[in-house]
Amino acid sequence: MPTKAPADSKQLQKKAAVVDDIKTRLEGADAAVLTEYRGLTVAEIADLRASLRKASTDYKIFKNTLARRAAGDAGLEDLLTNLEGPVAIAFVRKDGGDAVTAAKALRDFAKTNPNLVVKGGLLGPRVLTEKDVEALADVPPRDVLLARLAGGFQAPMTKAAGLFQAFTRNMAYGVKALIDQRVAGGEAMPAAEPEPEAAPAPEPEAAPEPEATETEAPAAEESETPAAEATETEE
């Protein structure tokens, strides 16, 4: 009996180390996908691990009791319902891992190997359902998204101009539809404001008339003063 105590202690320490390893992986992974591998052969599991390495993903098999304890210690109680039966977790590493590529690899493998069952997982702090993992697998890979984004920046300006024209045209159609809807509902259209009368054009200025030049009377006329007027002033 005394000999069993050290063995039990070592076993407990080993289990505690596994629980700590699972907890650390769950907390440090970019994503994690929970699977059930019941019925898969050793060779099939090796093939699955090889396909997941391309996404920097580690596929680890654990006892469900230890995985449940680790999830509880990590505060991930929502995962407990999926940690039933033979459990294997795909951990997507943060250093170069791609959750989309990993989800695609698991989905494609499950198509030809129905014994692999995807049960849910994590994406950062968010808990994923089985349908969420399927939706993640349908997302284009990161390099494809970057290529599409770069192609959009390299689009010719004529394409951009066409987009602006389409936006303006659609906006005009929307405004017209709104006006038609209001008129059909009995709302009167606002009366058009009268256009301001145009100011009369200024008349052209008349050219200045030439100034009259004074002419000196002939000397003979100035000397002709009536004799009667001369005598009246002298008196």
Side-chain angles (χ1 to χ4, degrees):
M1 294 293 295
T3 58
K4 291 184 179 181
D8 292 341
S9 178
K10 289 182 180 179
Q11 190 70 16
L12 291 175
Q13 291 177 359
K14 185 177 180 180
K15 290 181 178 179
V18 174
V19 171
D20 290 340
D21 179 52
I22 300 172
K23 178 176 177 290
T24 301
R25 289 178 181 273
L26 287 173
E27 294 175 340
D30 188 45
V33 181
L34 310 182
T35 66
E36 183 177 324
Y37 65 94
R38 191 195 309 268
L40 291 178
T41 65
V42 175
E44 290 171 341
I45 293 176
D47 292 340
L48 177 58
R49 283 175 172 158
S51 63
L52 289 172
R53 281 195 203 99
K54 300 176 183 179
S56 298
T57 300
D58 302 321
Y59 192 70
K60 299 290 185 179
I61 296 174
F62 303 104
K63 290 184 177 180
N64 60 351
T65 54
L66 301 181
R68 289 172 61 85
R69 188 187 308 173
D73 292 346
L76 301 172
E77 288 79 6
D78 293 338
L79 292 180
L80 298 181
T81 55
N82 290 328
L83 294 173
E84 300 288 347
V87 176
I89 305 177
F91 297 99
V92 182
R93 298 194 299 269
K94 287 186 177 180
D95 53 340
D98 190 343
V100 173
T101 303
K104 288 181 183 295
L106 290 169
R107 182 193 60 184
D108 295 343
F109 187 88
K111 287 180 178 179
T112 56
N113 297 272
N115 288 326
L116 178 70
V117 179
V118 177
K119 307 178 71 174
L122 289 173
L123 182 61
R126 178 186 174 186
V127 177
L128 302 179
T129 64
E130 179 184 354
K131 291 183 178 180
D132 292 334
V133 178
E134 293 177 0
L136 186 64
D138 291 331
V139 176
R142 184 181 305 172
D143 54 348
V144 175
L145 292 176
L146 292 176
R148 291 180 180 177
L149 183 62
F153 286 136
Q154 296 174 359
M157 293 303 295
T158 53
K159 183 177 180 180
L163 293 176
F164 285 125
Q165 291 177 358
F167 172 77
T168 305
R169 183 169 57 252
N170 292 337
M171 182 177 179
Y173 290 157
V175 172
K176 184 179 183 302
L178 179 60
I179 293 174
D180 294 341
Q181 181 181 2
R182 289 188 175 183
V183 172
E187 183 176 343
M189 291 292 295
E193 296 182 358
E195 297 183 359
E197 296 182 359
E203 297 181 357
E205 297 182 359
E209 296 181 358
E211 297 180 357
T213 56
E214 296 181 357
T215 55
E216 296 182 357
E221 293 181 357
E222 292 180 357
S223 58
E224 293 179 355
T225 304
E229 293 180 1
T231 56
E232 290 178 358
T233 56
E234 290 178 357
E235 293 178 356

